[in-house]
Amino acid sequence: MSAADKVKPAASPASEDPSAIAGNISYHAQYSPHFSPLAFGPEQAFYATAESVRDHLLQRWNDTYLHFHKTDPKQTYYLSMEYLQGRALTNAIGNLGITGAYADAIKKFGYELEAVAGQERDAALGNGGLGRLASCFLDSMATLNLPSWGYGLRYRYGLFKQRIAKEGQEEIAEDWLDKFSPWEIVRHDIVYPIRFFGHVEIAPDGRRKWAGGEVLSALAYDVPIPGYKTKNAISLRLWDAKATAADFNLFQFNDGQYESAAQLHSRAQQICAVLYPGDATEEGKLLRLKQQYFLCSASLQDIIFRFKERKPDRVSGKWSEFPSKVAVQMNDTHPTLAIPELMRLLMDEEGLGWDEAWDVTNKTVAYTNHTVLPEALEKWSQAVMRKLLPRHMEIIEEIDKRFREMVISTRKDMEGKIESMRVLDNNPEKPVVRMANLCVVAGHTVNGVAELHSNILKEELFADYLSIWPKKFQNKTNGITPRRWLRFCNPELSEIVTKWLKTDQWTSNLDLLTGLRKFADDEKLHAEWAAAKLASKKRLAKHVLDVTGVTIDPNSLFDIQIKRIHEYKRQLMNILGAVYRYKKLKEMSAEERQKVTPRTVMVGGKAFATYTNAKRIVKLVNDVGAVVNNDADVNKYLKVVFIPNYNVSVAEVLIPGSELSQHISTAGMEASGTSNMKFSLNGCVIIGTLDGANVEIREEVGQDNFFLFGAKADQIAGLRKERENGLFKPDPRFEEAKQFIRSGAFGTYDYTPLLDSLEGNTGFGRGDYFLVGYDFPSYIEAQARVDEAYKDKKKWIKMSILNTAGSGKFSSDRTIDQYAKEIWGISACPVP
Ligand code: T68
């Protein structure tokens, strides 16, 4: 039966009226027909519903654009190679305050809102924390009515889909655009030329000009981002690459040379084909650099266009006004090319001199660092850069030269440091451009993402620059949006919070959660809290059964670690802990076992396709699970489950059902972490090291409500030295766990190389560089404290409540408010 048979179609929805909304859904089912008009299954229902919601969004998006145009406020542009948006439907109707109306409207077709929303594919245009942070920031920018937009790339295939096969992780292309995305609006009117390769010439007017090479087009797709309870909707503008008809060689095509006729078209397609193409080959590196430049150039041309559009009379001679109207934030070093591109546009296209262009650029761009891992600090080959972007390479060389001269002439004391501070590393073996150094030299502000991380930037990574520019460095502790990460993903707990606080204003003023503290011992609240947790645990258990076939017990302690698989995040320590627990359970008598706290250990996350040890870790978790879960002696007390294909919507099921979550990185290595904040907000207790934002979470929720273990950041260097000098004595429990795996208890796969990475002083595996061996005993002891605490149900629920109550600081509304005031200098611009 078609939608029109059930409800009469109507072109426009009246926002609060379910009948009018149903009419509009029916209208979209008929007149935006992507499917046969005869059927109206859950998938059609999703697309028609989404298009109906899009009508609301577009109205707001247009009003906001016009309002910003008229008021001409200073605007922020967030440049990011990644956005992990996840699903949009529930979030959009939640922010617009029309969830109930839509649920009722959908019922008229015989469907439940949840089932329809479940049809949506995740937009996974990102890897992990950095991409999800960008998405949380957009939600907060819109909610705070800030004039700000995001810019990114419209990857055809986002982050791969993970499947677990016998051999371990398999990667499959994630086809989020397979049908289409109902949220994006293609903007055929917004197209910019993007050049690659070519050479630099001197134009007749004496300016330097980049010419030749090949020119592609960047085409804009807008994704409207609604704020919570506001009329404002901002834009996430994603660029796609196109070649034009003029690039199509009809002569060659008619001559049967089909591939060479459409060469540029196929090269255009490569640019936005995938997120993070493999970069082991030279071609791969070139493609990544092309992607980065594509984002920067299109976005800056668009920003300059808008600067001119808003006040056409200011165009000439008023470039000093630019930084009072535009702030550009670079999300890590991936968009660093924004710096030389802005310089080029200002000098070569607009005719500014170096000093003026530099002044404008410096006052416009700022840089957020997300990692101190040396291997993650981007360096581009000077040769590749010169070939692909010859004019930018000239500009970078000039920036490097002027920086050097400045230090030599003003800071004699720093002469010995200049080489390592320079933008260029002219090592004859491998001359490179250091992108982070370029960001520090050219940006007006550099920030870290948690207090500990920002201090490490100031004291170690960027310490030399600090003495030149003491005011350049700031901290902006990360945050998460409370809308997606509590209000919408955990409706049961949200209702309880609203009931006890007697307001739902916490949704946009998260500090109000502290009001829960005074009820932390209230037995009625305890009963409601426990019931909500149990409901979420049951939903989680169903997900686990659906995707893995493993039955888990909702009365066991749900212990979760979900994040990208990386050695510094130490999923290996977690699984060694589980192996140790299993071995001890095996050694116990049936009587002794009955005193044990039953636990379900869940691990989820994707390993980068070429990261061998990370893939071995995935395999190990699966192998341990296969043995433990089928061991009838102990599987009442322990289950180990690998959750496949971890993504935003899986997180939305897992986090509400969690009771303990692991954030156990080697201290000093996790810049912040943001899932730790999501867990804590959902009343989950953390076991963790003093790393990243854990430090601040523990301060906020109270040290009694956090299971701490492990070495501190300032001990790490010394411990590694000791290890190198052969002074490390491993704990017998650590040896026992490793030995158990080596014995073949979990199958025939050869884990020797993985386990060897934990051995030795240096050399293979860097002699346990991540100090799993050092931290293991205190980890096991902290886990024993967890077991004891969980036995006291009252105590545990109180800890859970106090975690939620202490999470107010970690709202991305707080983070974005600080960026707005302390870095960008922008203020709210609400649509009246
Ligand atoms: C993360 N970084 C940090 N990088 O690891 C995490 N993509 O501590 C922090 O909370 C988060 O950023 C937000 O600040 C990433 O997620 C990447 O995904 C990455 C790294 C290199 C290249 C591409």
Side-chain angles (χ1 to χ4, degrees):
M1 192 181 268
S2 78
D5 292 335
K6 296 201 169 189
V7 179
K8 197 164 159 292
S12 113
S15 55
E16 306 284 333
D17 173 24
S19 301
I21 289 171
N24 185 244
I25 293 175
S26 172
Y27 170 85
H28 279 292
Q30 272 209 306
Y31 297 106
S32 334
H34 311 285
F35 304 98
S36 156
L38 296 179
F40 193 67
E43 195 180 29
Q44 285 96 322
F46 163 70
Y47 282 101
T49 305
E51 292 193 327
S52 153
V53 173
R54 197 176 79 169
D55 291 348
H56 290 266
L57 295 177
L58 275 178
Q59 182 65 50
R60 282 161 206 249
W61 190 93
N62 284 329
D63 292 348
T64 310
Y65 193 94
L66 271 173
H67 183 61
F68 289 176
H69 179 77
K70 272 193 229 138
T71 36
D72 188 29
K74 181 172 183 183
Q75 183 160 336
T76 294
Y77 298 97
Y78 198 78
L79 265 55
S80 178
M81 289 291 282
E82 303 189 24
Y83 292 89
L84 265 180
Q85 290 284 97
R87 289 176 178 155
L89 179 61
T90 308
N91 190 70
I93 55 180
N95 274 6
L96 297 177
I98 49 179
T99 305
Y102 265 84
D104 291 344
I106 288 169
K107 278 211 183 87
K108 294 184 192 293
F109 300 98
Y111 292 118
E112 290 299 319
L113 175 59
E114 223 184 295
V116 170
Q119 295 290 319
E120 183 174 355
R121 304 203 176 195
D122 271 43
L125 308 182
N127 251 304
L130 172 148
R132 184 53 230 176
L133 184 76
S135 294
C136 282
F137 278 5
L138 293 178
D139 185 78
S140 287
M141 288 167 177
T143 299
L144 297 178
N145 299 313
L146 291 170
S148 25
W149 277 20
Y151 281 110
L153 292 184
R154 181 179 180 268
Y155 304 104
R156 175 75 178 78
Y157 303 108
L159 186 62
F160 64 86
K161 233 192 292 186
Q162 178 192 53
R163 198 183 286 157
I164 303 300
K166 236 179 125 225
E167 295 70 33
Q169 169 180 301
E170 275 178 2
E171 303 90 31
I172 305 153
E174 165 61 284
D175 204 357
W176 74 293
L177 292 173
D178 175 31
K179 301 252 156 63
F180 67 103
S181 164
W183 308 111
E184 56 176 23
I185 301 132
V186 53
R187 300 297 308 270
H188 294 290
D189 54 334
I190 299 169
V191 179
Y192 297 99
I194 312 288
R195 188 185 302 276
F196 294 116
F197 306 108
H199 58 272
V200 181
E201 307 176 338
I202 313 282
D205 61 359
R207 290 187 203 170
R208 299 187 79 76
K209 255 278 129 0
W210 181 20
E214 64 189 34
V215 179
L216 298 173
S217 299
L219 168 66
Y221 284 75
D222 282 335
V223 182
I225 309 288
Y228 174 74
K229 283 200 181 162
T230 162
K231 289 185 185 153
N232 283 38
I234 57 170
S235 199
L236 167 58
R237 180 160 283 180
L238 300 174
W239 300 107
D240 198 1
K242 288 263 173 301
T244 62
D247 302 318
F248 188 79
N249 191 325
L250 207 53
F251 179 81
Q252 283 184 347
F253 193 85
N254 286 331
D255 196 36
Q257 304 171 53
Y258 304 126
E259 261 149 44
S260 54
Q263 236 177 41
L264 208 57
H265 290 247
S266 116
R267 281 216 285 280
Q269 265 176 19
Q270 289 163 13
I271 291 186
C272 293
V274 292
L275 167 74
Y276 296 115
D279 63 351
T281 62
E282 284 309 305
E283 287 76 13
K285 288 198 183 77
L286 190 68
L287 184 55
R288 280 209 195 181
L289 193 61
K290 275 186 171 179
Q291 290 184 322
Q292 296 188 349
Y293 178 64
F294 196 80
L295 167 68
C296 295
S297 179
S299 307
L300 279 163
Q301 291 184 64
D302 195 42
I303 291 166
I304 289 176
F305 167 81
R306 199 159 316 99
F307 173 69
K308 293 178 176 176
E309 180 192 45
R310 284 197 185 151
K311 274 234 171 75
D313 54 335
R314 79 171 145 215
V315 174
S316 62
K318 279 294 188 118
W319 287 97
S320 58
E321 235 193 280
F322 192 75
S324 67
K325 293 293 168 188
V326 173
V328 171
Q329 189 68 33
M330 298 181 293
N331 195 23
D332 216 292
T333 54
H334 323 139
T336 304
L337 289 167
I339 295 163
E341 176 65 356
L342 182 55
M343 289 293 289
R344 182 188 75 83
L345 291 168
L346 293 174
M347 293 191 298
D348 301 0
E349 303 290 328
E350 306 293 345
L352 274 66
W354 179 278
D355 290 334
E356 208 187 341
W358 179 250
D359 189 53
V360 170
T361 302
N362 170 254
K363 288 179 174 149
T364 303
V365 303
Y367 156 57
T368 304
N369 172 284
H370 295 266
T371 183
V372 297
L373 300 191
E375 65 269 28
L377 293 176
E378 281 192 294
K379 296 189 176 72
W380 287 103
S381 142
Q382 292 182 18
V384 172
M385 188 85 88
R386 199 169 286 115
K387 183 168 135 199
L388 186 70
L389 304 167
R391 178 64 178 128
H392 299 78
M393 192 58 209
E394 275 187 2
I395 292 170
I396 292 170
E397 281 167 341
E398 185 68 20
I399 294 173
D400 176 71
K401 179 171 152 253
R402 287 176 183 241
F403 170 70
R404 237 182 113 237
E405 287 168 0
M406 184 275 284
V407 180
I408 291 174
S409 64
T410 60
R411 292 295 302 264
K412 277 271 158 301
D413 57 313
M414 303 214 54
E415 251 184 65
K417 305 241 160 96
I418 290 181
E419 278 312 308
S420 64
M421 294 167 78
R422 284 180 59 179
V423 175
L424 297 182
D425 177 350
N426 287 333
N427 173 348
E429 304 259 294
K430 209 177 152 222
V432 292
V433 182
R434 299 162 171 144
M435 304 310 259
N437 291 19
L438 180 51
C439 289
V440 176
V441 169
H444 61 85
T445 304
V446 175
N447 75 283
V449 290
E451 261 165 37
L452 177 73
H453 167 64
S454 298
N455 288 337
I456 293 175
L457 293 185
K458 283 194 261 187
E459 286 157 20
E460 295 170 33
L461 197 61
F462 300 140
D464 294 337
Y465 300 102
L466 185 71
S467 79
I468 300 182
W469 296 300
K471 289 203 210 121
K472 194 178 275 212
F473 297 88
Q474 295 193 15
N475 173 55
K476 292 286 164 280
T477 298
N478 281 165
I480 54 169
T481 166
R483 270 75 64 185
R484 182 177 294 266
W485 295 114
L486 180 55
R487 181 76 189 247
F488 306 145
C489 76
N490 198 345
E492 293 92 347
L493 201 66
S494 292
E495 262 171 42
I496 293 170
V497 171
T498 299
K499 179 179 151 191
W500 286 77
L501 294 180
K502 298 201 170 69
T503 171
D504 72 350
Q505 302 225 333
W506 57 269
T507 313
S508 47
N509 179 6
L510 205 61
D511 287 327
L512 292 179
L513 291 181
T514 51
L516 291 171
R517 283 191 184 133
K518 62 175 179 286
F519 308 118
D521 288 304
D522 191 304
E523 286 188 6
K524 264 188 73 199
L525 175 60
H526 277 219
E528 291 175 21
W529 201 269
K533 200 36 110 183
L534 187 63
S536 299
K537 286 175 77 178
K538 286 184 175 162
R539 192 163 358 121
L540 195 175
K542 181 176 180 306
H543 176 80
V544 169
L545 182 64
D546 290 347
V547 298
T548 67
V550 178
T551 305
I552 59 174
D553 177 5
N555 293 310
S556 64
L557 166 63
F558 277 12
D559 164 351
I560 302 185
Q561 187 181 22
I562 38 175
K563 44 184 86 242
R564 290 304 300 257
I565 310 290
H566 203 294
E567 284 163 289
Y568 86 81
K569 295 181 188 276
R570 300 199 293 192
Q571 285 94 351
L572 188 51
M573 182 154 73
N574 181 354
I575 198 66
L576 281 172
V579 164
Y580 182 75
R581 178 178 288 265
Y582 173 58
K583 185 155 185 286
K584 294 298 119 183
L585 275 169
K586 290 298 281 179
E587 289 162 8
M588 283 178 200
S589 67
E591 238 173 19
E592 281 173 315
R593 277 184 204 136
Q594 278 173 15
K595 292 187 219 128
V596 169
T597 302
R599 236 197 232 238
T600 304
V601 177
M602 291 169 253
V603 179
K606 295 176 182 176
F608 195 72
T610 52
Y611 187 173
T612 313
N613 263 1
K615 287 186 133 178
R616 289 181 178 129
I617 292 169
V618 172
K619 169 95 173 114
L620 179 59
V621 180
N622 279 285
D623 283 355
V624 170
V627 171
V628 173
N629 302 342
N630 292 308
D631 187 331
D633 293 345
V634 302
N635 64 11
K636 253 172 62 194
Y637 304 99
L638 178 64
K639 287 244 165 96
V640 175
V641 185
F642 186 86
I643 313 276
N645 201 38
Y646 173 56
N647 62 14
V648 173
S649 23
V650 173
E652 287 166 9
V653 177
L654 263 57
I655 292 170
S658 62
E659 294 175 292
L660 178 77
S661 84
Q662 305 208 24
H663 304 274
I664 57 178
S665 47
T666 316
M669 301 195 83
E670 186 71 273
S672 162
T674 43
S675 74
N676 43 4
M677 301 168 182
K678 296 168 196 164
F679 280 106
S680 182
L681 177 63
N682 281 272
C684 173
V685 187
I686 290 175
I687 180 168
T689 46
L690 274 187
D691 200 14
N694 283 358
V695 178
E696 290 157 78
I697 294 176
R698 181 165 169 267
E699 264 165 33
E700 295 294 312
V701 305
Q703 56 183 35
D704 294 343
N705 305 306
F706 186 109
F707 292 97
L708 181 71
F709 74 94
K712 317 262 182 302
D714 58 9
Q715 293 174 274
I716 301 296
L719 289 169
R720 286 191 181 132
K721 264 263 129 51
E722 270 180 28
R723 176 116 204 178
E724 268 171 44
N725 296 333
L727 297 173
F728 172 67
K729 287 206 184 54
D731 186 276
R733 291 167 286 185
F734 179 54
E735 298 302 288
E736 200 178 332
K738 282 182 297 172
Q739 190 45 44
F740 197 39
I741 300 173
R742 287 189 198 274
S743 75
F746 304 101
T748 53
Y749 182 86
D750 184 12
Y751 284 108
T752 312
L754 182 63
L755 296 167
D756 280 354
S757 74
L758 304 173
E759 313 284 356
N761 303 324
T762 51
F764 189 82
R766 296 194 276 184
D768 194 15
Y769 185 74
F770 303 100
L771 300 176
V772 177
Y774 181 84
D775 277 348
F776 192 74
S778 68
Y779 173 67
I780 293 292
E781 284 151 24
Q783 287 287 19
R785 295 202 304 276
V786 170
D787 290 324
E788 276 318 294
Y790 196 73
K791 285 180 184 158
D792 183 346
K793 285 287 169 284
K794 246 173 111 170
K795 179 176 169 190
W796 189 271
I797 300 235
K798 182 175 178 181
M799 289 172 86
S800 169
I801 294 169
L802 290 174
N803 264 273
T804 304
S807 290
K809 174 176 174 185
F810 306 104
S811 168
S812 47
D813 297 343
R814 186 266 314 147
T815 314
I816 283 299
D817 185 57
Q818 290 178 331
Y819 274 93
K821 292 188 173 123
E822 295 160 22
I823 300 185
W824 303 331
I826 61 168
S827 12
C829 190
V831 173

